Amino acid sequence: MKFRFAAAALATFAFGVVSAQAPAPQPAPAPATAAAAPVQIPPAPAPAVSKSWILMDYATGQVLAGENIHERVAPASITKVMTSYVVAAELKNGKITRDDQVMMSERAWREGGAGTDGSYSGFPVNQTARLEDMEKGMAIQSGNDAAIALAEHVAGSEEAFAALMNNYAAQIGMKDSHFVNAHGLPAEGHYTTAYDLALLGRAMVRDYPETYAYNKIREFRVGNITQPNRNLLLWRDPSVDGIKTGHTSEAGYCLLSSAQRGDQRLVAAVMGDVSERQRADDSLALLNWGFRFFETHRLYEPGKAVAQQKVWKGKADEVQLGVAQPLLVSVPRGRYEELKPSIDLPKQLVAPFKQGQAVGTVKVTLDGKVIAQAPLVAVQAVEEAGFFKRLWDAFWMWWKSE
């Protein structure tokens, strides 16, 4: 009976059946601007002394090079990047404002002020300053006192703020980090990894670019005291725009850095180096190596179709699929043509679909490994069809499922 009913309808609906059975076009990378011969990539310039180090591609999170990247280390003042992230998140959530008056408490002044061995901002004790200025005192001058004051303002106490830090770190994916203070002075149970710091650097650039921009300011003045940013790379390379230095006797000299050249951005972390100059030398060597031997390509643009797929029970018979955000990928120079794109979609797509609704995934592989992926979304909405078309499509869905 099933076969006789289908056969009787074939002549009338043959076009619809062919359309339903036609495979969706596979996406293909945009043509390269110029073909380049593959480049033999030499080993990365590994820092000779650092306990751990990493070079990460910002666009994809791909680790381009590294050593002991998951080994727990003391983050020193790089901790303040996590503090900045929390403050920026609370600003976005409307919990605080940049014009808030932040008190430099006696505790913040005593534990992180000029009377300590660490770096300080110089805001007067028991007086207030704008939150934005306090942020700059922390990010640019690496003020421990400013970090504590901000923590107290946001969460009531530094201890409560540390809990926020750990919550946000988990959201970022920092699985091997734990924070107990806002400034990074040595404390039991306060640790991170080079890999986690690279993830934090990516998140800071991506999620809160306005706050991230404080890190490239070369100096900041509080009262009569002007202090320079300790990141020497800001003076050496104009493509470097952050991120943060750190130093304690336990941690050694550390640097979380990032640079952008064209569409390509890299993030590097060097932990446990021997001097301020050496951490800058080692970091810049890694960044230069990455920019020299890897290239970033913009594969797909938002709003443009990557593929199209048959839709059941819709007013339209097909849905165009694209990406919501630009999809970039970094590959060894000269290997762009070897990229292999593919799409993962449900076996059957049933209307309705809203514009921007996630439908599947586009993946790009090189040497059999996924190096970039993004959700596939409906470029245009597809409304639900009328009763009879839905009924007819339901029959053919049932028929094809047998």
Side-chain angles (χ1 to χ4, degrees):
M1 176 64 69
K2 174 178 176 181
F3 178 80
R4 288 198 299 271
F5 181 81
L10 265 177
T12 304
F13 293 93
F15 177 80
V17 175
V18 172
S19 176
Q21 293 176 339
Q26 294 298 299
T33 54
V39 175
Q40 187 66 35
I41 299 179
V49 180
S50 295
K51 298 177 182 177
S52 63
W53 57 274
I54 190 172
L55 181 66
M56 179 179 286
D57 173 56
Y58 167 80
T60 64
Q62 179 183 350
V63 177
L64 304 182
E67 186 175 359
N68 299 323
I69 64 174
H70 297 296
E71 180 179 316
R72 290 181 178 179
V73 293
S77 280
I78 298 178
T79 297
K80 292 164 184 149
V81 181
M82 190 74 244
T83 301
S84 290
Y85 190 92
V86 174
V87 172
E90 295 298 287
L91 279 167
K92 182 179 180 180
N93 293 334
K95 305 296 185 182
I96 54 178
T97 74
R98 297 193 188 278
D99 290 325
D100 281 3
Q101 292 297 309
V102 178
M103 174 65 71
M104 178 57 67
S105 69
E106 187 170 339
R107 175 185 174 179
W109 175 81
R110 185 176 63 252
E111 296 183 8
T116 66
D117 291 332
S119 52
Y120 66 95
S121 63
F123 289 102
V125 64
N126 292 326
Q127 295 186 30
T128 62
R130 287 182 68 245
L131 184 141
E132 184 174 9
D133 292 335
M134 196 72 75
E135 280 189 287
K136 292 178 179 178
M138 177 182 67
I140 304 165
Q141 299 172 326
S142 196
N144 295 328
D145 50 354
I148 299 172
L150 285 166
E152 292 174 340
H153 182 78
V154 170
S157 71
E158 189 175 16
E159 291 75 17
F161 186 83
L164 278 180
M165 296 172 74
N166 290 318
N167 288 338
Y168 279 107
Q171 293 177 25
I172 293 169
M174 301 170 66
K175 297 180 179 179
D176 295 308
S177 297
H178 187 261
F179 300 97
V180 300
N181 63 51
H183 43 72
L185 291 174
E188 184 177 355
H190 192 88
Y191 57 82
T192 188
T193 66
Y195 179 79
D196 280 3
L197 289 180
L199 291 182
L200 175 59
R202 286 184 72 215
M204 196 74 209
V205 175
R206 179 190 66 232
D207 299 339
Y208 306 111
E210 184 176 351
T211 299
Y212 174 77
Y214 297 157
N215 295 286
K216 67 179 179 181
I217 300 174
R218 294 187 179 186
E219 64 180 23
F220 188 65
R221 184 180 183 86
V222 175
N224 296 323
I225 302 174
T226 300
Q227 297 187 66
N229 195 314
R230 291 166 172 78
N231 185 356
L232 299 181
L233 295 186
L234 297 176
W235 283 266
R236 293 190 186 182
D237 190 321
S239 70
V240 175
D241 54 15
I243 304 174
K244 187 74 188 72
T245 61
H247 173 250
T248 64
S249 57
E250 175 191 14
Y253 289 85
C254 310
L255 178 57
L256 175 63
S257 59
S258 183
Q260 182 170 7
R261 301 177 188 175
D263 277 339
Q264 188 175 13
R265 177 179 287 278
L266 301 177
V267 179
V270 172
M271 310 300 293
D273 222 324
V274 295
S275 70
E276 186 176 8
R277 178 177 178 176
Q278 192 61 50
R279 70 187 175 191
D281 290 346
D282 290 340
S283 297
L284 188 55
L286 286 171
L287 292 170
N288 283 336
W289 176 84
F291 285 121
R292 168 64 181 87
F293 294 106
F294 290 82
E295 57 189 358
T296 298
H297 290 273
R298 189 178 292 259
L299 300 186
Y300 307 119
E301 295 285 355
K304 296 184 178 180
V306 170
Q308 59 185 24
Q309 185 72 5
K310 167 67 182 175
V311 173
W312 299 97
K313 302 184 182 182
K315 287 185 177 180
D317 292 326
E318 293 182 333
V319 59
Q320 291 189 334
L321 304 176
V323 293
Q325 302 293 331
L327 179 59
L328 284 74
V329 61
S330 287
V331 295
R333 290 197 179 276
R335 301 198 63 189
Y336 178 87
E337 300 294 341
E338 300 176 42
L339 295 178
K340 297 183 182 300
S342 63
I343 56 175
D344 290 340
L345 293 170
K347 185 177 180 180
Q348 294 177 328
L349 299 181
V350 181
F353 290 106
K354 296 179 180 179
Q355 184 178 14
Q357 179 179 337
V359 177
T361 305
V362 57
K363 297 181 179 180
V364 181
T365 61
L366 182 66
D367 297 331
K369 297 180 180 179
V370 177
I371 61 172
Q373 61 181 355
L376 276 176
V377 302
V379 174
Q380 297 174 331
V382 178
E383 297 180 3
E384 190 177 54
F387 173 76
F388 289 105
K389 187 173 190 301
R390 296 201 312 271
L391 182 64
W392 181 249
D393 280 3
F395 163 74
W396 280 111
M397 291 172 67
W398 165 75
W399 175 263
K400 292 173 68 67
S401 67
E402 292 293 317

